[in-house]
Amino acid sequence: METNLDWASLPFGYVPTDYNVRCTYRDGKWGDIEVSQSETINMHMAATCLHYGQEVFEGLKAFRGKDGKIRIFRLKENAKRIRSSAEGLVMEPIPEDLFLKMCVMAVKLNERFVPPYGSGASLYLRPLEIGMTPRVGVSPASEYMFIIFVSPVGPYFKSGFGTTSICITRDYDRVAPKGTGRFKTGGNYAASLKAGMTAKDKGYSAVLFLDPREKKYLDECGPANFFAIKNGVYITPASDSILPSITNMSLQQLAKDMGIPVEARHIPVEELAEVDEAAACGTAAVASPIGYIDDLDKNVRYVIAKDGKPGPITTKLYNALRAIQLGEVEDIHGWNHVMGI
Ligand code: PLP
Ligand code: COI
């Protein structure tokens, strides 16, 4: 059955679809995969996910390609990362084959929600794992639920591939220096909400967080990593307190393929005055070009896009990434899982 969605004007949000898939880890093993039509979860009020934050999640996208085939981008990397996040929060790691199988099932079951080629939209997959055991003392659960729901989405920032503005503030940290920044867990996002909402109230799309130890170096950009182009070099923060972005990793590879040198290193805030282009990158953000960055504490505006337009290298990288995701060019690195629907 056709959907009556207006694909081209979809925001980045939740749209109900036909099914989600679930699997429970109990008595030391993962059970059978359940296909569900329910949008709710029944759980004990003392479940560890509710009290002690035992929750990890992922975000990845499926695209309808030029050839009509559906491609899921970098499925195995997301499988790897959710395992690492689970281990970081003392949760049961999800076997790679279970993760892959459930992602493919979730897309297949909701095939009619995969936006058409050319619409600019995609199907976002949101896998999440939660601790289900009732505990009052602080200790990890022995039972876990793994769920994947999907939602057709448009651009994360309203500007799409137009430039957006970002701010720096030292009033809040999202994570601690040796904390959970490397893991994709709800607590990091809870800790970022105050800063994010304050920034939005002031008209910015996101906060560019600084390293939480010294507040000297750039860390990451709200729900995305950060990169800049300086004298033809792709520079991106090296930090233990940021999420290892799969999009950033892919863009770095594409940059190298284009002969653009890549440097992952500490980037002092003041170096923003010397960059030619900058962008927030992530599954949701793709590569969102940044127009200017305001350092609210120092009262300094770093104007990045002097003409207000996305820079040439960011545009080239964005186009190269999209072309692979949409099956317009050969996937030389084997990043797509092509579905056999
Ligand atoms: N950093 C944070 C905090 C994120 O939430 C995300 C989104 O997943 C990213 C970076 C980008 O990571 P990826 O490119 O793997 O989506
Ligand atoms: C993503 O890019 O997949 C994210 O998870 C970002 C955000 C919506 C949390």
Side-chain angles (χ1 to χ4, degrees), residues 12 57 59 124 126 156 184 189 223 282-284:
F12 188 90
F57 68 103
Y124 185 69
R126 175 52 68 83
Y156 191 75
K184 202 161 167 63
Y189 298 82
T283 298

Side-chain angles (χ1 to χ4, degrees), residues 60 72 75 98-107 125 127 148:
L60 62 163
I72 310 179
L75 192 47
L98 181 68
F99 184 89
L100 303 189
K101 192 173 174 188
M102 286 177 64
C103 284
V104 169
M105 271 178 88
V107 174
L125 283 74
I148 305 177

Side-chain angles (χ1 to χ4, degrees), residues 90-168:
V90 199
M91 296 171 63
E92 184 60 29
I94 297 153
E96 185 189 84
D97 56 347
L98 181 68
F99 184 89
L100 303 189
K101 192 173 174 188
M102 286 177 64
C103 284
V104 169
M105 271 178 88
V107 174
K108 210 173 214 164
L109 288 162
N110 296 292
E111 195 197 338
R112 70 192 184 102
F113 291 96
V114 182
Y117 172 73
S119 63
S122 55
L123 188 74
Y124 185 69
L125 283 74
R126 175 52 68 83
L128 72 149
E129 183 184 3
I130 49 179
M132 297 292 276
T133 312
R135 300 257 192 251
V136 178
V138 181
S139 63
S142 56
E143 186 177 319
Y144 292 90
M145 185 184 260
F146 177 48
I147 309 173
I148 305 177
F149 69 81
V150 300
S151 182
V153 295
Y156 191 75
F157 295 123
K158 276 197 217 88
S159 49
F161 193 66
T163 54
T164 190
S165 59
I166 305 286
C167 68
I168 291 172

